[in-house]
Amino acid sequence: MADNRRYHLAKRPEGTPDEDTFDLREVERPDPDPGQALVRLLYLSVDPYMRDRMRAGESYAQPWEVGGPLYGGAVAEVVDSNGTKFSEGQTVVGNLPWAEYAAAAASELTSVDTDELPVSTALGVLGMPGRTAYFGVREVVEPRADDWMVVSGAAGAVGSVAGQLGELQGANVVGVAGSDEKIDWLTEELGFSAGINYKEEDVRERLGELTDGVDAYYDNVGGPVTDATFSHLNVDARVGICGQIALYNEEERPTGPRKLGKLIETRARVEGLLVGDFAPRFREATEHLGELVGSGKIGYRETVTEGLENAPDAFLGLFEGENVGKQVVNVGDSSR
Amino acid sequence: MADNRRYHLAKRPEGTPDEDTFDLREVERPDPDPGQALVRLLYLSVDPYMRDRMRAGESYAQPWEVGGPLYGGAVAEVVDSNGTKFSEGQTVVGNLPWAEYAAAAASELTSVDTDELPVSTALGVLGMPGRTAYFGVREVVEPRADDWMVVSGAAGAVGSVAGQLGELQGANVVGVAGSDEKIDWLTEELGFSAGINYKEEDVRERLGELTDGVDAYYDNVGGPVTDATFSHLNVDARVGICGQIALYNEEERPTGPRKLGKLIETRARVEGLLVGDFAPRFREATEHLGELVGSGKIGYRETVTEGLENAPDAFLGLFEGENVGKQVVNVGDSSR
């Protein structure tokens, strides 16, 4: 009895993924094994890093199998506890297939507190993207008072939080994003000191006008925005490489100016960031971010796409910059 | 009375400098001002960074003036103490013009101990290049026991010392250089674990065969050797950018593959290095290196070009890899 739907990887994309990449199958609801609960998905997260999992070969993420399910962060409701520690109707978050129903090991699920904020925030400002911003700012980019800090992909789920954390640490944050609507949100609602619309403005020129050089750079994007920012690095600048979304769909090896000589001039430090390295401190991050969001010191937005069948569109929209803030897919409604 | 010769910058080179870049003038010996001594040069250092000083615009070194003298590290003998703390006949090292005679502030000169090693070592293994290797290895690249460490420009003045320091710290050092003669020197005399002749071998392929990935990279070169090494970086690798000699003569902005995404995968750290930042610790470095050279734990070579008039050829040879070890110019003989 096909009473469930699930996306599988149809084939590895060349360049930008398209409808041939995704295979929506009618499948059965799984029977949970001992130690597993059966859950019904409410929200599915789509994230840029997933592009890398579609690729065979070297990456920071394990490649997905062709023919196997796609996975992502998801908020779900427990349908059948199956003797695990969760009760039926409880809201949980974990790494789940792009599906309506899934069986998941209880040890891999975390309870979501549903009292104060929408449960979807467990995928955004209070989830992996928020934690990525928190550890990237605190442990890698380290903005100081009066620093000029640049955030690329500033209106995304990670960048919007990273920039606000920079401002809270006293830095003057310049957000780089791809529309005037996004820039307005960053500067008028989130407190960024300035914004640059990279689709309309010359980032290198504008950074020269706006800043006294760049002391801290939180990079989600790579490519030309990063080239422009490197040109303005100050002595002892810190650069955190968190994402390179501008390059993820390139099949030909992307090329650009060789900028490492700038590091000799500035003795700047460039360091890669993967949030999983900080797993033992996730609780600290979530609590800290929860307080900042609860007290209004950090704002957030979500872009919600309706229906599992539209998850591929939501994912592909990330590369077009269609989302403002965190992009999620509403797969089902809570029974509460 | 023209009893001195001095090189001046004739014009800023485009691309690779040539004979039109350098102007050898017949000039008078300068009269030392109060606080200056008159010195006669024995050895002049030519170094890759000097290419950058010929360029107007952004660099880590102040540009030389067109029509003004060229400068470099030099060992000299005091001819006229002029009441300074130095005695006539004493050997000193300092930043001096490319000339036979120069007047130099006593405060900018340092006495060279001539008892044990040739005075020219004050420009190489016991001078700026040795100190650059010392601080780069100790403070930036930080090789650990059993690490795989790569050194580019490994047969140069900096690289040959950096690699030996890495081996002394227990790392397995792979030197990348441009001739079999250099590789033989590194592996048979200096104790490098392995060598790659980048002009004959595929660096990326060979690193895959020789190493279990690269934990530490001391880069003097940039360009394709650096691309190849980045492909093999291990998790938490450290990269020190000390020089980019492969790129210094490019007038068109050099381009290459965009490799920063590799830092996400590995959380590697890339940091620029300028030895001047460590000026307060120069004595520590010189003493440490002096002990290692004196006890035979560090070997060195010098390539000596005879005659001030051949200094431009010696300089240009750096970019062709003609030197083994430290390249110096013998400008005059000691009177001792």
Side-chain angles (χ1 to χ4, degrees):
Chain A
M1 186 181 62
D3 48 10
N4 183 19
R5 295 187 299 167
R6 191 167 61 214
Y7 267 110
H8 290 238
L9 182 63
K11 62 174 194 176
R12 300 204 184 281
E14 292 185 17
T16 304
D18 59 22
E19 58 187 16
D20 294 340
T21 308
F22 303 91
D23 177 17
L24 183 58
R25 298 188 185 173
E26 304 272 337
V27 295
E28 288 184 26
R29 291 184 195 173
D31 271 334
D33 290 330
Q36 288 187 324
L38 178 70
V39 300
R40 184 171 63 81
L41 273 78
L42 306 180
Y43 290 97
L44 170 67
S45 178
V46 289
D47 300 277
Y49 77 83
M50 293 170 170
R51 176 64 186 84
D52 239 33
R53 301 198 64 178
M54 295 178 178
R55 199 186 303 273
E58 69 180 34
S59 161
Y60 55 86
Q62 285 293 314
W64 283 325
E65 299 295 329
V66 174
L70 307 182
Y71 284 88
V75 168
E77 193 172 273
V78 176
V79 174
D80 178 358
S81 163
N82 195 31
T84 65
K85 64 183 174 185
F86 295 105
S87 55
E88 278 143 37
Q90 193 169 353
T91 307
V92 293
V93 61
N95 193 53
L96 297 173
W98 293 24
E100 289 168 327
Y101 291 88
S107 59
E108 301 295 314
L109 297 173
T110 305
S111 170
V112 176
D113 177 357
T114 54
D115 287 348
E116 309 223 340
L117 293 168
V119 295
S120 53
T121 56
L123 303 177
V125 63
L126 300 184
M128 183 275 286
R131 291 192 293 264
T132 302
Y134 176 85
F135 292 110
V137 168
R138 187 165 287 226
E139 303 298 334
V140 181
V141 178
E142 301 177 73
R144 300 162 192 159
D146 300 321
D147 269 3
W148 283 101
M149 173 174 171
V150 173
V151 178
S152 63
V158 175
S160 57
V161 179
Q164 292 179 86
L165 291 171
E167 288 281 350
L168 288 172
Q169 294 197 20
N172 304 302
V173 181
V174 181
V176 182
S179 76
D180 290 343
E181 177 206 351
K182 291 177 179 177
I183 299 298
D184 287 347
W185 176 51
L186 299 177
T187 56
E188 292 172 17
E189 295 186 38
L190 299 189
F192 280 56
S193 294
I196 300 174
N197 178 347
Y198 74 90
K199 290 186 179 170
E200 303 287 339
E201 301 181 277
D202 182 318
V203 177
R204 182 171 173 164
E205 192 179 296
R206 288 289 290 143
L207 284 175
E209 292 163 1
L210 287 165
T211 75
D212 301 319
V214 174
D215 306 295
Y217 177 37
Y218 195 117
D219 183 24
N220 296 298
V221 168
V225 170
T226 294
D227 299 339
T229 306
F230 262 59
S231 297
H232 289 285
L233 292 181
N234 282 336
V235 168
D236 292 333
R238 285 87 53 207
V239 177
I241 306 292
C242 174
Q244 300 275 280
I245 191 173
L247 310 175
Y248 289 165
N249 281 325
E250 306 259 3
E251 281 301 313
E252 296 288 309
R253 181 190 289 189
T255 62
R258 294 184 181 279
K259 288 283 193 183
L260 292 180
K262 187 74 183 180
L263 304 186
I264 304 176
E265 183 191 332
T266 59
R267 283 81 84 198
R269 161 166 68 72
V270 185
E271 200 165 349
L273 164 70
L274 210 50
V275 68
D277 291 346
F278 298 95
R281 294 174 55 194
F282 279 179
R283 182 187 297 269
E284 161 199 329
T286 308
E287 285 178 2
H288 189 78
L289 291 164
E291 285 168 18
L292 291 172
V293 173
S295 63
K297 288 184 180 153
I298 281 192
Y300 70 94
R301 273 197 203 175
E302 298 178 340
T303 300
V304 182
T305 296
E306 294 296 331
L308 177 66
E309 64 279 10
N310 294 316
D313 281 346
F315 171 69
L316 296 174
L318 296 171
F319 298 92
E320 304 298 322
E322 288 176 6
N323 57 305
V324 180
K326 176 59 193 160
Q327 174 71 56
V328 295
V329 179
N330 184 12
V331 177
D333 293 326
S334 169
S335 61
R336 296 181 170 217
Chain B
M1 187 180 64
D3 49 9
N4 184 18
R5 295 186 298 169
R6 192 167 59 213
Y7 267 110
H8 290 239
L9 182 63
K11 62 175 194 175
R12 300 205 184 281
E14 292 186 17
T16 304
D18 60 22
E19 57 187 15
D20 294 339
T21 307
F22 304 90
D23 177 17
L24 182 58
R25 298 189 185 173
E26 304 272 337
V27 295
E28 287 184 27
R29 291 183 196 173
D31 271 334
D33 290 330
Q36 288 187 323
L38 178 70
V39 301
R40 185 171 64 80
L41 274 78
L42 306 180
Y43 290 97
L44 170 67
S45 178
V46 289
D47 300 276
Y49 77 84
M50 293 171 170
R51 176 62 185 86
D52 240 33
R53 301 199 64 179
M54 295 178 178
R55 199 186 302 273
E58 71 180 31
S59 159
Y60 56 84
Q62 284 294 314
W64 283 326
E65 299 294 328
V66 174
L70 307 182
Y71 285 87
V75 168
E77 193 171 272
V78 176
V79 174
D80 178 357
S81 164
N82 196 32
T84 65
K85 65 184 175 185
F86 296 105
S87 54
E88 277 143 36
Q90 193 171 354
T91 307
V92 294
V93 61
N95 193 51
L96 296 174
W98 293 25
E100 290 168 326
Y101 291 87
S107 59
E108 301 295 314
L109 297 172
T110 304
S111 169
V112 176
D113 177 356
T114 54
D115 286 349
E116 310 221 339
L117 293 168
V119 294
S120 53
T121 55
L123 303 176
V125 64
L126 300 185
M128 183 275 287
R131 291 191 292 263
T132 302
Y134 177 84
F135 292 110
V137 168
R138 186 166 287 228
E139 303 297 334
V140 181
V141 177
E142 301 177 72
R144 300 163 193 159
D146 301 323
D147 270 2
W148 282 102
M149 173 176 172
V150 173
V151 179
S152 62
V158 175
S160 57
V161 178
Q164 292 179 87
L165 291 172
E167 287 281 349
L168 288 172
Q169 293 196 21
N172 304 302
V173 181
V174 181
V176 182
S179 77
D180 289 344
E181 177 206 351
K182 291 177 178 175
I183 299 298
D184 287 348
W185 176 52
L186 299 177
T187 55
E188 293 172 15
E189 295 185 39
L190 299 190
F192 281 54
S193 293
I196 300 175
N197 177 348
Y198 74 92
K199 291 186 179 171
E200 303 286 338
E201 301 181 277
D202 181 318
V203 177
R204 183 172 172 163
E205 192 179 297
R206 288 289 290 141
L207 285 175
E209 292 163 1
L210 287 165
T211 75
D212 301 318
V214 174
D215 305 295
Y217 176 38
Y218 195 116
D219 184 22
N220 296 298
V221 168
V225 171
T226 295
D227 300 338
T229 307
F230 262 59
S231 297
H232 289 284
L233 291 181
N234 282 336
V235 168
D236 292 331
R238 286 86 53 206
V239 177
I241 306 292
C242 174
Q244 301 276 282
I245 192 173
L247 310 175
Y248 287 165
N249 282 325
E250 306 259 3
E251 281 301 313
E252 296 288 309
R253 182 190 288 188
T255 61
R258 294 185 180 280
K259 288 282 191 183
L260 293 180
K262 187 74 182 181
L263 305 186
I264 305 175
E265 183 191 334
T266 59
R267 284 80 85 199
R269 162 166 66 74
V270 185
E271 199 165 349
L273 163 71
L274 210 50
V275 68
D277 291 345
F278 298 96
R281 293 174 56 193
F282 278 0
R283 182 187 296 269
E284 162 199 330
T286 308
E287 285 177 3
H288 189 79
L289 290 164
E291 286 167 18
L292 292 172
V293 173
S295 63
K297 288 184 180 153
I298 280 193
Y300 70 94
R301 271 198 203 174
E302 297 178 340
T303 301
V304 182
T305 296
E306 294 296 332
L308 177 65
E309 64 279 9
N310 293 316
D313 281 347
F315 172 69
L316 296 174
L318 296 171
F319 298 92
E320 304 298 322
E322 289 176 5
N323 57 305
V324 180
K326 176 59 193 160
Q327 174 71 56
V328 294
V329 179
N330 184 12
V331 178
D333 293 327
S334 169
S335 60
R336 295 180 168 218

